[in-house]
Amino acid sequence: MLAKTFGSAVHGVDATIITVEVSEGQGQHFFIVGLPDGAVKESTHRVESAIKQTGFFFPRTKVVVNLAPADIRKEGSAYDLPIALGIIHASGQANLKSLEDYVIMGELALDGALRPIKGVLPIAIEARKKGLKGFILPTENASEASIVNNLDIIGVNTLEEAVDFLKGTLKIEPLVTDTRDIFFSSQNDYDADFSHVQGQENIKRALEIAAAGGHNAIMIGPPGAGKTMLAKRIPSILPPLSLQEALETTKIHSVAGKLGTKASLISTRPYRSPHHTISDAALVGGGGNPQPGEISLAHNGVLFLDELPEFKRSALEVMRQPLEERKVSISRARWAVEFPSSFMLIASMNPCPCGYYNHPEKECVCGPGVVQKYLNKISGPLLDRIDLHVEVTPVKFEQLSSNRKSESSAAIRERVIKAREIQTIRFKDHPAIYSNAMMPSQMVKEVCEISTAGVALLKRAMERLQLSARAYDRILRVARTISDLAGTEDIRTEHLAEAIQYRSLDRENWAG
């Protein structure tokens, strides 16, 4: 007999439907064909044990499992369940009449129980696109798959439950989730809030500007000044995720296996903070079975790199292209995948190895040339992609002990949203651009016109502060965002003056 059902292969953040065919006939041996990897080939032993533990027998005849199309590599253990069900049906042990109506995925334990799998959301999206009736999968993954409507999500705990459901002797109600209700009710669920931060008003202002224009920023200051604490609160002032952005973000985390069990749609902006020992592949993505890296897991959110000069030079340099293109392409001889990576880069660093250069009270003990050498660990091309350089100073005791209530993230977010709405209207004819930070140089001249007084101010600033040429466009972009926050059409001299102060590292004499 011949049994046929459907599975799926995930490449990048998209899925492809795989036809799983099982043929049983004369002879001996068990074959899996269709470009399976080692984990798929090992399914023979898991499937055999699970079938026996469920009360069926494993055929001692010739069994051929074909995973089509044969030119797509099949990876992982999630094909166990469709293969086991196909064998039971093909050997005539049970009539699984609705086998061809569903996409079926799940890893089997030796006793027939099901273990959760990765990449459920893109599989569910593809199954609906192909017109399949439903998706049979481990119960622990059912909440994630139920994000997709018009698809019957059938969660099962064991192989036996899957057999009984397909036979029609066990009724399992499809899991239905009100995605919109869950999404909108938890959009503002952030643990960290700016109201908990005492002092640092100038830093909060700089981060508000960064959030309003989608600008990358770097904070420079001594240890304990609050750089990490401030960075953790940035997602709480960014505009809420749209449903489309939430779906994109959830797909990436699903493929990477980062959602956990009982997970549903991600409704808050992601915040990723990798350690400085991270490898190039872990940061940008890749590997034998290509997985999204930290820059993709931060898609539509914030990537925070603490102690930026301590990161490997190669890891930082490989980020340059994704920062510009908002996506990362990983190409090898036999395959190429693309992961989205539109994130806001926030970095922090000490001003020198000892941490106290330019400190108002403590003295720097670094030798001559050490500070410059330390700053040179960050390359010019990477620094060129960071719009705001913010100097962080320690908070005084009077501010720390003050009972004065600080401004909440919700209040700051309202201003950020209004500024972003202005930018949405400004760039409505440019679908690839949705914030001031993304403006190319030729557009900066059109959008960021300044008065004669503004030109004179900018010229004096560049000469007196010895700002480098790359600072020019950055200052204009940031000034445009400051004027959007102020609700003015023109870039005024006070907006330019504020933008100029955020270019510390461009000063030729910053490190003495």
Side-chain angles (χ1 to χ4, degrees), residues 30-51:
F30 183 93
F31 300 97
I32 300 181
V33 297
L35 214 58
D37 74 344
V40 180
K41 290 175 182 175
E42 289 171 355
S43 67
T44 309
H45 307 292
R46 294 190 296 271
V47 167
E48 180 178 1
S49 177
I51 286 176

Side-chain angles (χ1 to χ4, degrees), residues 242-263:
S242 67
L243 264 173
Q244 182 60 37
E245 286 177 328
L247 194 62
E248 283 178 1
T249 306
T250 309
K251 274 174 73 175
I252 296 166
H253 285 249
S254 172
V255 169
K258 302 288 185 184
L259 282 180
T261 57
K262 310 293 182 184

